[in-house]
Amino acid sequence: MTDRLAALSELARLIETASGIVVPAGHLSFLGDAAGQRAAATGCSDLVAYVQALAAGRLPGEWAALLPHVTIKESYCFRTPQHFVRLAEVVLPRLLGRTGASRRLRVWSAGCARGEEPATLAITLAEAPALAAWDWLVIGTDIDQHALGVARSGLFSGRAVAQVPPPLLERYFARRGSAFELTPSLRRRLEHHAVNLVAEPLYVPHQPFDVIFLRNVLIYFRAELQRRVVAGVTRALAPDGVLFVGPSETLWQLSEELEPEDLGDCFCYRKRKPTAHGYAPSSTRTLPAVRGAQAGTIRHATPSPERREASERRRPLPDAPAPAPSQPPLGTRERVEVAARLLAANQVEAAGATLDEVLRDDPTNAPAHVLEGLLHDLGRRPERAIASYRAALYLAPELFQARLLLAQALRRSGNAQRATGEYRQVLSSLADGRAREVEELAAIPLPDRDAAAEQARRGLQSHH
Ligand SMILES: C[S@@+](CC[C@H](N)C(=O)[O-])C[C@H]1O[C@@H](n2cnc3c(N)ncnc32)[C@H](O)[C@@H]1O
């Protein structure tokens, strides 16, 4: 291994320790460019000297300058709009009933990027007539100081406000050249603070919170860290509070303390009531994903009885890839390909184990999430399959086969309307040239472009 590559791997490790963010091996060259710039800016002779100085704590303030290069700040106002609709229609009325005496509400947007989510929360609260005389505050936090600076400015790009309904855009934003400025009456209700979610103990000003949005942040962390961050965030949640995560994220198996609540077109999490024997079992309003819990999951460290049984029943085909201990370690892409070949050869258990390792090393590998979805589909865990396909599409929206699989899984689980939306997107992405195949899964007979278009059209027809 060259000095440069070793230094980059060490830098990736330091970044993960400091922030939880996994830098996949395939992104090391990109990290090298950013680190090269930072080495020059800090007067280090080269990348190796920079990483050594960072590791030794000889570059005060450098983390604040480096992290903006590695954080993914994709966000916009009213992203996943159903969360804000259900917050206003279901969650707030209930909370107001309970916290009525204090007339005080605290909301936290954890991992708030450039302030798009806290601004949307503030608009949602400002639009609730029952909150008019209340003392309410939205706290946006992020690890990225640069993003927080933008959030504090109250200025948003045209893209960031493109999904704001026109009457709300008119009411809460003023045009400033090509940007949009949030009105001062809302900015007074917003605070932004630097908070690293992996810090222990986790402390956030104004806690405990009645509502927490922790959306599209966990997906970049490894499972062990997700568990720890969720535990910290749960401690900051008021006893009656609710937590929202991103649509491709699930707290299934990450927290015993939280119970999903089905809100119709989305869900949130509430704290379970502790009992003398630990936590109370789920109420009858659990998510389908939780109902499938007995079926096991490929993320189990030890195979579920179901998977053990399935793998024992299936005889491996003679051409299944054999382990090759003397070969150099495989890269992520190759390991996903091996997992796909194992699945194609009916070695479900081995495919799941390989995939577990891949996702442990790179939780943001979209093809691995597609394969994870296929394994869940095979194991008849439709809600888990849907979550996996959604995770894949969150990371790589152009994977048309993943979208087709999502549409089919949605239709099988009775969500005809959402399936229709996904079928339409399959067709539009194929038509406008954005669509891309999941090349890593070539061993599995997934539909090609023509077949996918045909299946999507049939899916749409069967709905009408
Ligand atoms: C994709 S954005 C999500 C923004 C917003 N929540 C949404 O869903 O639109 C992820 C954000 O998490 C932040 N983040 C990543 N690691 C973090 C950590 N350890 N502590 C706090 N924020 C973190 C990133 O800086 C980034 O702004």
Side-chain angles (χ1 to χ4, degrees), residues 19 21 71-75 79 111 113 117 142-144 195-198 215-217 220-221 394:
S19 68
I21 299 167
T71 52
I72 295 173
K73 294 174 279 277
E74 164 63 14
S75 187
R79 183 184 201 182
E117 188 175 87
D142 205 282
I143 196 173
D144 186 321
V195 171
N196 182 354
L197 288 167
V198 312
R215 304 189 311 163
N216 308 309
V217 180
Y220 300 105
F221 298 162
Y394 173 79

mmCIF file of all heavy atoms in Angstrom, residues 19 21 71-75 79 111 113 117 142-144 195-198 215-217 220-221 394, ligand 1:
data_model
loop_
_atom_site.group_PDB
_atom_site.id
_atom_site.type_symbol
_atom_site.label_atom_id
_atom_site.label_comp_id
_atom_site.label_asym_id
_atom_site.label_seq_id
_atom_site.Cartn_x
_atom_site.Cartn_y
_atom_site.Cartn_z
ATOM 1 N N SER A 19 -17.111 11.638 13.377
ATOM 2 C CA SER A 19 -18.450 12.055 12.942
ATOM 3 C C SER A 19 -19.417 10.911 12.704
ATOM 4 O O SER A 19 -20.608 11.145 12.553
ATOM 5 C CB SER A 19 -18.327 12.825 11.617
ATOM 6 O OG SER A 19 -17.919 11.935 10.587
ATOM 7 N N ILE A 21 -19.484 9.345 10.006
ATOM 8 C CA ILE A 21 -19.679 9.261 8.553
ATOM 9 C C ILE A 21 -18.699 8.252 7.954
ATOM 10 O O ILE A 21 -17.480 8.365 8.147
ATOM 11 C CB ILE A 21 -19.483 10.644 7.898
ATOM 12 C CG1 ILE A 21 -20.522 11.632 8.447
ATOM 13 C CG2 ILE A 21 -19.571 10.549 6.379
ATOM 14 C CD1 ILE A 21 -20.232 13.082 8.106
ATOM 15 N N THR A 71 -19.505 15.844 4.510
ATOM 16 C CA THR A 71 -20.925 15.697 4.853
ATOM 17 C C THR A 71 -21.764 15.771 3.572
ATOM 18 O O THR A 71 -21.413 16.483 2.626
ATOM 19 C CB THR A 71 -21.390 16.810 5.803
ATOM 20 O OG1 THR A 71 -21.031 18.066 5.236
ATOM 21 C CG2 THR A 71 -20.756 16.683 7.174
ATOM 22 N N ILE A 72 -22.868 15.050 3.576
ATOM 23 C CA ILE A 72 -23.799 15.104 2.436
ATOM 24 C C ILE A 72 -25.001 15.907 2.896
ATOM 25 O O ILE A 72 -25.730 15.501 3.792
ATOM 26 C CB ILE A 72 -24.188 13.685 1.999
ATOM 27 C CG1 ILE A 72 -22.921 13.005 1.484
ATOM 28 C CG2 ILE A 72 -25.271 13.724 0.913
ATOM 29 C CD1 ILE A 72 -23.049 11.568 1.158
ATOM 30 N N LYS A 73 -25.176 17.079 2.290
ATOM 31 C CA LYS A 73 -26.149 18.039 2.828
ATOM 32 C C LYS A 73 -27.382 18.149 1.944
ATOM 33 O O LYS A 73 -28.078 19.160 1.975
ATOM 34 C CB LYS A 73 -25.469 19.408 2.982
ATOM 35 C CG LYS A 73 -24.380 19.378 4.032
ATOM 36 C CD LYS A 73 -23.598 20.656 4.098
ATOM 37 C CE LYS A 73 -22.541 20.758 3.033
ATOM 38 N NZ LYS A 73 -21.276 20.089 3.338
ATOM 39 N N GLU A 74 -27.632 17.113 1.169
ATOM 40 C CA GLU A 74 -28.805 17.134 0.290
ATOM 41 C C GLU A 74 -30.070 17.356 1.132
ATOM 42 O O GLU A 74 -30.373 16.593 2.045
ATOM 43 C CB GLU A 74 -28.869 15.797 -0.462
ATOM 44 C CG GLU A 74 -30.181 15.459 -1.126
ATOM 45 C CD GLU A 74 -30.574 16.434 -2.230
ATOM 46 O OE1 GLU A 74 -29.721 17.219 -2.667
ATOM 47 O OE2 GLU A 74 -31.752 16.427 -2.628
ATOM 48 N N SER A 75 -30.790 18.422 0.869
ATOM 49 C CA SER A 75 -32.021 18.717 1.610
ATOM 50 C C SER A 75 -32.795 19.804 0.881
ATOM 51 O O SER A 75 -32.228 20.502 0.033
ATOM 52 C CB SER A 75 -31.682 19.195 3.027
ATOM 53 O OG SER A 75 -32.868 19.319 3.793
ATOM 54 N N ARG A 79 -39.346 18.534 2.254
ATOM 55 C CA ARG A 79 -38.926 17.221 1.781
ATOM 56 C C ARG A 79 -39.769 16.187 2.548
ATOM 57 O O ARG A 79 -39.938 16.309 3.752
ATOM 58 C CB ARG A 79 -37.453 17.042 2.141
ATOM 59 C CG ARG A 79 -36.858 15.755 1.661
ATOM 60 C CD ARG A 79 -35.430 15.671 2.172
ATOM 61 N NE ARG A 79 -34.657 14.737 1.385
ATOM 62 C CZ ARG A 79 -33.391 14.444 1.650
ATOM 63 N NH1 ARG A 79 -32.760 15.033 2.652
ATOM 64 N NH2 ARG A 79 -32.734 13.592 0.911
ATOM 65 N N GLY A 111 -29.328 17.147 12.465
ATOM 66 C CA GLY A 111 -28.753 16.964 11.128
ATOM 67 C C GLY A 111 -29.551 17.834 10.174
ATOM 68 O O GLY A 111 -30.219 17.357 9.257
ATOM 69 N N ALA A 113 -28.675 20.240 8.054
ATOM 70 C CA ALA A 113 -28.051 20.742 6.819
ATOM 71 C C ALA A 113 -28.064 22.278 6.797
ATOM 72 O O ALA A 113 -27.682 22.911 7.780
ATOM 73 C CB ALA A 113 -28.719 20.127 5.590
ATOM 74 N N GLU A 117 -34.896 21.989 6.814
ATOM 75 C CA GLU A 117 -35.874 21.252 7.635
ATOM 76 C C GLU A 117 -36.380 22.092 8.815
ATOM 77 O O GLU A 117 -37.604 22.161 9.031
ATOM 78 C CB GLU A 117 -35.220 19.952 8.111
ATOM 79 C CG GLU A 117 -36.136 18.990 8.801
ATOM 80 C CD GLU A 117 -35.375 17.705 9.110
ATOM 81 O OE1 GLU A 117 -34.725 17.643 10.176
ATOM 82 O OE2 GLU A 117 -35.405 16.772 8.296
ATOM 83 N N ASP A 142 -26.355 20.643 13.576
ATOM 84 C CA ASP A 142 -25.592 19.887 12.578
ATOM 85 C C ASP A 142 -24.131 19.866 13.025
ATOM 86 O O ASP A 142 -23.712 20.688 13.852
ATOM 87 C CB ASP A 142 -25.709 20.537 11.192
ATOM 88 C CG ASP A 142 -25.485 19.530 10.067
ATOM 89 O OD1 ASP A 142 -24.310 19.196 9.793
ATOM 90 O OD2 ASP A 142 -26.484 19.058 9.484
ATOM 91 N N ILE A 143 -23.396 18.939 12.446
ATOM 92 C CA ILE A 143 -21.959 18.883 12.736
ATOM 93 C C ILE A 143 -21.207 19.857 11.829
ATOM 94 O O ILE A 143 -20.082 20.246 12.101
ATOM 95 C CB ILE A 143 -21.434 17.433 12.531
ATOM 96 C CG1 ILE A 143 -20.076 17.251 13.191
ATOM 97 C CG2 ILE A 143 -21.391 17.069 11.063
ATOM 98 C CD1 ILE A 143 -19.586 15.810 13.164
ATOM 99 N N ASP A 144 -21.857 20.237 10.732
ATOM 100 C CA ASP A 144 -21.197 21.011 9.684
ATOM 101 C C ASP A 144 -21.371 22.511 9.956
ATOM 102 O O ASP A 144 -22.443 23.076 9.746
ATOM 103 C CB ASP A 144 -21.836 20.614 8.336
ATOM 104 C CG ASP A 144 -21.138 21.239 7.147
ATOM 105 O OD1 ASP A 144 -20.738 22.414 7.244
ATOM 106 O OD2 ASP A 144 -21.007 20.554 6.119
ATOM 107 N N VAL A 195 -23.938 20.568 16.930
ATOM 108 C CA VAL A 195 -24.051 19.380 17.796
ATOM 109 C C VAL A 195 -23.597 18.178 16.978
ATOM 110 O O VAL A 195 -24.103 17.942 15.875
ATOM 111 C CB VAL A 195 -25.509 19.163 18.282
ATOM 112 C CG1 VAL A 195 -25.641 17.819 18.991
ATOM 113 C CG2 VAL A 195 -25.952 20.290 19.203
ATOM 114 N N ASN A 196 -22.648 17.451 17.537
ATOM 115 C CA ASN A 196 -22.198 16.218 16.901
ATOM 116 C C ASN A 196 -23.008 15.071 17.493
ATOM 117 O O ASN A 196 -22.923 14.792 18.685
ATOM 118 C CB ASN A 196 -20.702 16.039 17.177
ATOM 119 C CG ASN A 196 -20.157 14.794 16.503
ATOM 120 O OD1 ASN A 196 -20.905 14.003 15.932
ATOM 121 N ND2 ASN A 196 -18.844 14.626 16.569
ATOM 122 N N LEU A 197 -23.768 14.403 16.649
ATOM 123 C CA LEU A 197 -24.673 13.357 17.155
ATOM 124 C C LEU A 197 -23.933 12.156 17.738
ATOM 125 O O LEU A 197 -24.524 11.370 18.474
ATOM 126 C CB LEU A 197 -25.595 12.879 16.023
ATOM 127 C CG LEU A 197 -26.668 13.874 15.608
ATOM 128 C CD1 LEU A 197 -27.307 13.458 14.286
ATOM 129 C CD2 LEU A 197 -27.733 14.007 16.686
ATOM 130 N N VAL A 198 -22.657 12.011 17.413
ATOM 131 C CA VAL A 198 -21.953 10.851 17.964
ATOM 132 C C VAL A 198 -21.255 11.191 19.277
ATOM 133 O O VAL A 198 -20.641 10.324 19.890
ATOM 134 C CB VAL A 198 -20.949 10.215 16.960
ATOM 135 C CG1 VAL A 198 -21.597 10.004 15.609
ATOM 136 C CG2 VAL A 198 -19.688 11.033 16.811
ATOM 137 N N ARG A 215 -33.833 12.899 10.238
ATOM 138 C CA ARG A 215 -34.133 12.300 8.940
ATOM 139 C C ARG A 215 -32.910 12.309 8.025
ATOM 140 O O ARG A 215 -32.203 13.312 7.914
ATOM 141 C CB ARG A 215 -35.268 13.080 8.273
ATOM 142 C CG ARG A 215 -36.525 13.165 9.157
ATOM 143 C CD ARG A 215 -37.696 13.748 8.390
ATOM 144 N NE ARG A 215 -37.367 14.961 7.679
ATOM 145 C CZ ARG A 215 -38.095 15.473 6.709
ATOM 146 N NH1 ARG A 215 -39.200 14.863 6.333
ATOM 147 N NH2 ARG A 215 -37.738 16.586 6.120
ATOM 148 N N ASN A 216 -32.699 11.178 7.382
ATOM 149 C CA ASN A 216 -31.639 11.060 6.377
ATOM 150 C C ASN A 216 -30.249 11.357 6.945
ATOM 151 O O ASN A 216 -29.415 11.963 6.277
ATOM 152 C CB ASN A 216 -31.959 11.972 5.174
ATOM 153 C CG ASN A 216 -33.354 11.721 4.643
ATOM 154 O OD1 ASN A 216 -33.716 10.582 4.386
ATOM 155 N ND2 ASN A 216 -34.155 12.762 4.534
ATOM 156 N N VAL A 217 -30.037 10.961 8.162
ATOM 157 C CA VAL A 217 -28.730 11.102 8.805
ATOM 158 C C VAL A 217 -28.196 9.706 9.148
ATOM 159 O O VAL A 217 -27.055 9.364 8.822
ATOM 160 C CB VAL A 217 -28.831 11.936 10.106
ATOM 161 C CG1 VAL A 217 -27.467 12.082 10.757
ATOM 162 C CG2 VAL A 217 -29.433 13.313 9.823
ATOM 163 N N TYR A 220 -26.110 7.190 6.852
ATOM 164 C CA TYR A 220 -24.670 7.278 6.576
ATOM 165 C C TYR A 220 -23.820 6.607 7.658
ATOM 166 O O TYR A 220 -22.604 6.592 7.554
ATOM 167 C CB TYR A 220 -24.257 8.755 6.434
ATOM 168 C CG TYR A 220 -24.997 9.438 5.308
ATOM 169 C CD1 TYR A 220 -26.029 10.325 5.567
ATOM 170 C CD2 TYR A 220 -24.703 9.145 3.982
ATOM 171 C CE1 TYR A 220 -26.739 10.925 4.528
ATOM 172 C CE2 TYR A 220 -25.404 9.730 2.940
ATOM 173 C CZ TYR A 220 -26.418 10.624 3.220
ATOM 174 O OH TYR A 220 -27.118 11.194 2.197
ATOM 175 N N PHE A 221 -24.456 6.099 8.716
ATOM 176 C CA PHE A 221 -23.709 5.501 9.835
ATOM 177 C C PHE A 221 -23.807 3.977 9.794
ATOM 178 O O PHE A 221 -24.774 3.414 9.278
ATOM 179 C CB PHE A 221 -24.291 5.956 11.182
ATOM 180 C CG PHE A 221 -24.235 7.441 11.443
ATOM 181 C CD1 PHE A 221 -25.041 8.004 12.427
ATOM 182 C CD2 PHE A 221 -23.386 8.275 10.733
ATOM 183 C CE1 PHE A 221 -25.001 9.371 12.694
ATOM 184 C CE2 PHE A 221 -23.341 9.640 10.988
ATOM 185 C CZ PHE A 221 -24.151 10.186 11.970
ATOM 186 N N TYR A 394 -32.870 6.086 -2.317
ATOM 187 C CA TYR A 394 -32.437 7.337 -1.681
ATOM 188 C C TYR A 394 -30.990 7.615 -2.097
ATOM 189 O O TYR A 394 -30.621 8.746 -2.396
ATOM 190 C CB TYR A 394 -32.539 7.206 -0.158
ATOM 191 C CG TYR A 394 -31.957 8.385 0.570
ATOM 192 C CD1 TYR A 394 -32.676 9.566 0.682
ATOM 193 C CD2 TYR A 394 -30.668 8.338 1.096
ATOM 194 C CE1 TYR A 394 -32.138 10.670 1.314
ATOM 195 C CE2 TYR A 394 -30.122 9.429 1.730
ATOM 196 C CZ TYR A 394 -30.864 10.598 1.839
ATOM 197 O OH TYR A 394 -30.311 11.690 2.462
HETATM 198 C C1 LIG B 1 -28.649 14.448 4.006
HETATM 199 S S1 LIG B 1 -28.570 15.683 5.239
HETATM 200 C C2 LIG B 1 -30.193 15.595 5.935
HETATM 201 C C3 LIG B 1 -30.832 16.956 6.095
HETATM 202 C C4 LIG B 1 -32.274 16.927 6.594
HETATM 203 N N1 LIG B 1 -32.370 16.263 7.843
HETATM 204 C C5 LIG B 1 -33.182 16.283 5.571
HETATM 205 O O1 LIG B 1 -33.615 15.158 5.768
HETATM 206 O O2 LIG B 1 -33.450 16.909 4.548
HETATM 207 C C6 LIG B 1 -27.546 14.923 6.497
HETATM 208 C C7 LIG B 1 -27.000 15.915 7.486
HETATM 209 O O3 LIG B 1 -26.484 15.217 8.614
HETATM 210 C C8 LIG B 1 -25.342 15.899 9.071
HETATM 211 N N2 LIG B 1 -24.503 15.019 9.893
HETATM 212 C C9 LIG B 1 -23.737 13.983 9.478
HETATM 213 N N3 LIG B 1 -23.082 13.439 10.525
HETATM 214 C C10 LIG B 1 -23.447 14.151 11.615
HETATM 215 C C11 LIG B 1 -23.117 14.061 12.994
HETATM 216 N N4 LIG B 1 -22.255 13.155 13.454
HETATM 217 N N5 LIG B 1 -23.683 14.947 13.840
HETATM 218 C C12 LIG B 1 -24.558 15.876 13.379
HETATM 219 N N6 LIG B 1 -24.908 16.005 12.095
HETATM 220 C C13 LIG B 1 -24.367 15.144 11.214
HETATM 221 C C14 LIG B 1 -24.679 16.345 7.778
HETATM 222 O O4 LIG B 1 -23.768 17.418 8.002
HETATM 223 C C15 LIG B 1 -25.863 16.755 6.920
HETATM 224 O O5 LIG B 1 -26.141 18.098 7.030
#
